[in-house]
Amino acid sequence: MKRAADDPNVAAPSLDVKRLREDFPVLQRSVRGRPLVYLDSAATTQKPRAVIDAVARHYAEENANIHRGVHLLSELATTAYESAREKVRALLNAADVREIVFVRGTTEAINLVASSYGRGRVGSGDEVLITAMEHHSNIVPWQMLCEEMGARLRVAPIDDRGALDLEAFERLVGPRTKLVAVTHVSNALGTVNPVREIVAMSHARGVPVLLDGAQAVAHQTVDVQALGCDFYAFSGHKLFGPTGIGVLYGRAELLEAMPPWQGGGDMIASVTFEKTTYNVLPYKFEAGTPHIAGVIGLGAAIDYVQSVGLDRIAAWEDSLLAHGTALLEALPGVRLVGTAPDKAAVLSFVLDGVHAHDVGTILDQDGIAIRTGHHCAQPVMDRFGIPATARASLAFYNTLEELEALAAGLRKVAEVFA
Ligand code: PLP
């Protein structure tokens, strides 16, 4: 995650991508008679065999409900579930496993904070500060909260490259700001936000910060203690893990002070009709039977990604981004949307005279899978005055050849519409 303009000819870091691709069954398949070129990892990443096997093994060998059982299978499932929590803690370098709450995904994590933290802290006339590049899931929960509490949603602007205007951001952190919620990496533009500075500026005014890490965790090392953030949210399915599972990291002190979000089994210490007392962290926030297999699969995904090495992944993706950027910039009629100096391997673009959906549909005929539309970031499209972009989003299993296939496909699209 460095500069989009880096030299594509720099020595490729040591990652045996060809070998690693063999770990992903779906990457071996063909689509419409052509080898699959999967360039939609920001929407969801593909799953390595290790994750698929871990989920299947759980169901085949140790399926049971967790925490409440005295029998062996329940003990095994509980151990697997809780050891995945420790893997998440280590991945994020959180101080304590009590700070790791399993949820359905980034969306649910943000809704949990908006609801449990927000309702208690944000009142009439207060403000919640986000940026102009947020995914809908880091807009709408805050909008709903603000509507309910009579508070105001403030939005820090971005420039024409899609980079955050940090000075404007700082000016917007005011005496009424009760929470800052910012994406670590933008899914629509690829912008990597200066999250350390954002946290420092916000904390200097006593304002806690939630970071939306949906697009970050699979692409770079994340250290929540070094970042200093108060909440960090991500989804397992964007980290080579299963769908339906995600994580909310929250500083223990804040989580302790927050009321439970949902009520039900497992989140209680004792229940009578007169009064219920709540379980300790993190169980206070995990009502009901969780997605046990999903958590176990996420644990396997973390093992896998760490065996590949997040630093090596980041370096390889930088090379892919530089190569892809150069290829697309050389194509007549292509305009990249999102050219921030600090960028992740996301190539959002428009092609003159061709609707993004047509670009995607024609590329699909050649087995090339990209995303088209507003990417759940309609305000970003409005900011750039466009209805949609075509987006190729990369992961470490992508190759330079696949980027060349994309460029060749785009030349074909341009010819069709010439
Ligand atoms: N935030 C960002 C930046 C995203 O890219 C996404 C999904 O694309 C989300 C949040 C929502 O993630 P999920 O749908 O897994 O909850």
Side-chain angles (χ1 to χ4, degrees), residues 268 270-278:
I268 54 93
S270 72
V271 178
T272 66
F273 288 121
E274 287 69 42
K275 182 166 177 59
T276 292
T277 57
Y278 303 122

Side-chain angles (χ1 to χ4, degrees), residues 87 298-308:
K87 289 172 191 182
L298 175 59
I302 292 171
D303 285 344
Y304 179 82
V305 96
Q306 286 184 330
S307 75
V308 179

